[in-house]
Amino acid sequence: MTEFERVLVNSFNAYIKEKGIRAISYRLKQHRFTSQFLDVLVDSLDPDLYLGIECKSISVDKGANALYFSQHFTVDKKGIHQIERISDYLNRSGRKGFLAVELRLGTGREREAYMVPWEELEKFYRTKNLKLTVEEIRSFPEIKRNGKDYTINPREWERKNR
């Protein structure tokens, strides 16, 4: 589990506890020879919190200027792209999907994170755009920092959908 995923799960669980919501956020254990559908799952009867989140992190300080669909996502043995696999899982499970993107800005600078609604990511992928630029990522709702944690607000992420 990456630090970003761990902090996101902890932030969701703190939000759930604070609001008194019957829900739980967790990270499925990844096994060596089986593919994992998503990085973070949130289970709740509240449809705003029945979520599947894929996490990606790019190092802007080391020159990354985009999240590339060929480089940052996998293709399985059957030739199925990770975006297609996740889309199928989200459609069949009824979960709302998001791509959480962390931008690492370098030593001494806070990281930024953004929540891309899965439908928007699918549009980029289906129109044969090969990447999401850092500028495009920053046009999506930011996951605000609260100290070392994130402020969780799923309704805000949906409302600010481009």
Side-chain angles (χ1 to χ4, degrees):
M1 177 182 325
T2 68
E3 178 71 8
F4 179 46
E5 293 165 4
R6 187 186 64 73
V7 172
L8 200 55
V9 166
N10 290 343
S11 297
F12 264 104
N13 284 326
Y15 168 82
I16 288 164
K17 185 176 182 179
E18 174 190 316
K19 300 289 184 188
I21 300 167
R22 290 182 56 198
I24 188 168
S25 176
Y26 56 98
R27 168 87 159 74
L28 292 175
K29 183 175 170 104
Q30 189 168 0
H31 298 283
R32 190 171 181 189
F33 299 108
T34 58
S35 62
Q36 166 192 10
F37 283 112
L38 289 154
D39 292 319
V40 176
L41 296 175
V42 183
D43 287 340
S44 176
L45 292 175
D46 179 344
D48 287 327
L49 281 173
Y50 189 55
L51 307 173
I53 302 167
E54 178 64 21
C55 298
K56 299 292 180 188
S57 186
I58 60 175
S59 187
V60 176
D61 71 312
K62 293 184 180 171
N65 59 8
L67 183 74
Y68 292 91
F69 293 150
S70 59
Q71 178 183 345
H72 295 102
F73 292 87
T74 61
V75 175
D76 69 12
K77 294 179 216 167
K78 298 176 186 173
I80 301 171
H81 194 277
Q82 186 178 10
I83 293 175
E84 294 171 3
R85 289 193 315 266
I86 292 172
S87 295
D88 180 58
Y89 175 80
L90 292 170
N91 286 333
R92 291 196 288 147
S93 70
R95 291 180 190 273
K96 275 189 204 170
F98 288 96
L99 173 68
V101 183
E102 176 186 57
L103 304 178
R104 295 187 314 273
L105 304 173
T107 306
R109 298 183 64 197
E110 276 201 21
R111 296 172 181 202
E112 297 175 7
Y114 296 87
M115 200 58 94
V116 180
W118 197 261
E119 304 83 42
E120 293 294 317
L121 180 72
E122 270 188 302
K123 285 179 194 173
F124 274 86
Y125 177 74
R126 302 239 181 265
T127 58
K128 305 297 182 203
N129 276 338
L130 303 176
K131 63 186 177 189
L132 270 177
T133 66
V134 169
E135 183 178 298
E136 290 167 328
I137 292 166
R138 284 182 168 144
S139 73
F140 289 101
E142 186 174 2
I143 312 169
K144 302 274 189 207
R145 296 293 296 221
N146 181 7
K148 292 191 184 274
D149 293 325
Y150 288 102
T151 300
I152 302 301
N153 194 341
R155 289 180 185 97
E156 187 68 18
W157 302 333
E158 275 298 312
R159 256 195 298 274
K160 288 189 174 179
N161 195 351
R162 298 178 346 151

